[in-house]
Amino acid sequence: MRLSEGQRLVRMQYVSKEVSEALVSQITKGFGIDVNIIFGDIDIVADTPIEGIVAIFDDEPVRIDAALNYLRQRNIAAEVLKEG
């Protein structure tokens, strides 16, 4: 996958019954970042959903870093897989 300059491919993974699609909305509205989901999945382990999203974050590095820190503060694993 080829990314443009300023884009990052990010994998987010979390265990929660409350975290949902609103997560992407919070990032786009709160940080002004374009987020394009390219993959998502949900596994159920011991009656608990484990959710994951792979998305492209597109904006200035400072804004993306702030969004990643926000996710981590909410106990959402956010791993940058690739940078453009």
Side-chain angles (χ1 to χ4, degrees):
M1 169 176 283
R2 176 174 270 178
L3 299 175
S4 299
E5 186 175 335
Q7 292 183 328
R8 293 189 202 174
L9 184 65
V10 177
R11 176 174 42 206
M12 297 170 277
Q13 199 164 31
Y14 44 92
V15 177
S16 175
K17 294 181 181 177
E18 291 113 28
V19 178
S20 65
E21 297 167 7
L23 176 67
V24 172
S25 177
Q26 290 170 1
I27 295 168
T28 58
K29 289 180 182 176
F31 297 92
I33 295 173
D34 289 331
V35 178
N36 296 311
I37 297 172
I38 58 172
F39 177 79
D41 70 340
I42 300 174
D43 290 319
I44 306 296
V45 177
D47 295 326
T48 302
I50 299 174
E51 302 180 47
I53 297 172
V54 176
I56 296 173
F57 284 34
D58 188 2
D59 209 301
E60 297 175 15
V62 162
R63 286 182 162 180
I64 294 174
D65 289 340
L68 294 173
N69 287 333
Y70 167 79
L71 293 170
R72 292 173 182 138
Q73 288 172 356
R74 294 192 59 206
N75 295 320
I76 297 167
E79 176 186 5
V80 176
L81 302 175
K82 188 174 181 180
E83 295 189 35

